[in-house]
Amino acid sequence: MTERYPSPRALLDRYDLRAKKSWGQNFLGDEAILDDIARLAAPRPGETVLELGAGLGHLTARLVARGARVVAVERDRDMARVLRGELGERITLLEADAARLDLPELARRFGSGGKLSVVGNLPYHLTSPILFSLLDQAPHVLRAVFLLQREVAERLAAPPGSRDWGVLSVLLQREADVSVERIVRPGAFWPPPKVDSAVLCALFRPPADAVADPARFRRLVKAGFAQRRKTLRNALEAGKIADPEALRAALATTGVDPGRRGETLTLAEWAALDRALGPVAAES
């Protein structure tokens, strides 16, 4: 950057503000890490980047410096005031809830080819709602670069059969190539959180494995992981995904042992199970 952006503490003092613990506000001030995230989110000048929870604008300023067109989403009015004061007309500011965005509409207005890059430092309590919203609108996402709690990032990038492999691992990895790019220590933030964070990069592409019904596929995976001590057959029957006879037939067709646990199945096996269950009957 040609102009040094003020530190989080300096900006909070300038606007007579404090970080709101109830909002999960921990502001990243480490310039090298901010530059890395900006590079991942906007590898080329001219790209449109949707920043979720822009906060005090530290990452926002880096994105602008890289030549990105930044649409900054921030629902905290105090933070919006800082963003307007520090970055003004260099960004498009949306005072909105990051978990309830209409990505198709935003991609139409601001995106290139109907897609957007998404970036953000996600508070722990909003990570799942934002990720599920993103998955619902995956065709409009080009890439997502998120700063997350380390254990959450490692879970999302976990391989099948590992202790961390779970519902969001399966759903996200079906839509994107996922990697943990770097670990971020608490001292990089103000105020420092109590846990390590990590930079997660998800490069979206056509789904890796076809399914018969995406909504049922999600229910299927959720049921399989809902009670990890149950066998797959018992977990799926408890989740009422289909009648027991159809479930037994699908397991037999795919060759998946019903005595396995859900966390041992690969993405391809989950998708095969959904296909074997056939199309969902339309409601009359």
Side-chain angles (χ1 to χ4, degrees):
M1 292 181 63
T2 57
E3 182 180 336
R4 185 181 177 90
Y5 202 74
S7 70
R9 278 190 281 187
L11 275 179
L12 289 169
D13 288 344
R14 178 181 295 178
Y15 288 86
D16 193 24
L17 297 173
R18 293 183 179 180
K20 297 173 183 174
K21 186 176 181 181
S22 62
W23 287 52
Q25 289 180 343
N26 302 96
F27 303 108
L28 179 64
D30 186 291
E31 294 185 9
I33 299 172
L34 286 164
D35 285 338
D36 273 356
I37 297 173
R39 174 182 53 79
L40 289 166
R44 292 170 295 277
E47 294 199 10
T48 299
V49 179
L50 183 70
E51 184 184 2
L52 309 183
L56 294 170
H58 290 86
L59 177 57
T60 324
R62 255 61 179 193
L63 292 165
V64 169
R66 288 188 60 83
R69 182 185 184 189
V70 183
V71 180
V73 179
E74 180 53 65
R75 69 187 181 110
D76 184 334
R77 292 180 180 177
D78 290 329
M79 296 298 107
R81 179 161 59 93
V82 176
L83 291 165
R84 280 193 292 266
E86 298 299 317
L87 293 165
E89 295 182 357
R90 287 181 284 175
I91 64 171
T92 299
L93 177 61
L94 299 181
E95 295 189 51
D97 185 343
R100 300 187 178 189
L101 296 174
D102 184 344
L103 289 186
E105 171 61 16
L106 291 173
R108 185 189 66 79
R109 289 172 59 192
F110 303 110
S112 175
K115 292 180 182 287
L116 290 165
S117 291
V118 184
V119 65
N121 177 8
L122 304 189
Y124 179 71
H125 66 287
L126 290 179
T127 299
S128 288
I130 287 174
L131 285 173
F132 277 117
S133 175
L134 210 66
L135 288 167
D136 287 337
Q137 304 174 86
H140 301 281
V141 183
L142 179 64
R143 70 177 67 85
V145 182
F146 290 139
L147 187 57
L148 307 168
Q149 187 171 330
R150 178 178 181 174
E151 66 180 42
V152 176
E154 290 177 341
R155 195 179 308 147
L156 291 169
S162 67
R163 182 188 61 177
D164 291 332
W165 179 244
V167 174
L168 275 172
S169 316
V170 176
L171 299 180
L172 183 59
Q173 289 182 36
R174 179 171 178 264
E175 302 285 352
D177 297 321
V178 184
S179 60
V180 174
E181 293 296 319
R182 69 179 295 167
I183 304 302
V184 182
R185 303 300 180 188
F189 298 85
W190 181 260
K194 295 181 180 179
V195 296
D196 286 346
S197 300
V199 177
L200 183 92
C201 184
L203 301 177
F204 282 70
R205 34 109 178 111
D209 293 273
V211 298
D213 183 85
R216 184 188 55 205
F217 176 73
R218 183 177 294 190
R219 295 196 305 273
L220 180 74
V221 175
K222 283 184 175 181
F225 283 94
Q227 301 180 61
R228 287 180 177 252
R229 292 187 179 182
K230 282 192 173 183
T231 64
L232 183 62
R233 179 176 58 198
N234 289 341
L236 295 181
E237 287 181 357
K240 301 186 185 303
I241 299 302
D243 65 76
E245 184 177 338
L247 283 172
R248 284 194 291 271
L251 289 164
T253 297
T254 57
V256 174
D257 182 351
R260 289 169 63 183
R261 301 293 191 268
E263 61 267 26
T264 69
L265 269 66
T266 64
L267 171 56
E269 288 174 319
W270 280 116
L273 267 179
D274 183 77
R275 292 195 302 272
L277 286 170
V280 175
E283 294 184 5
S284 58

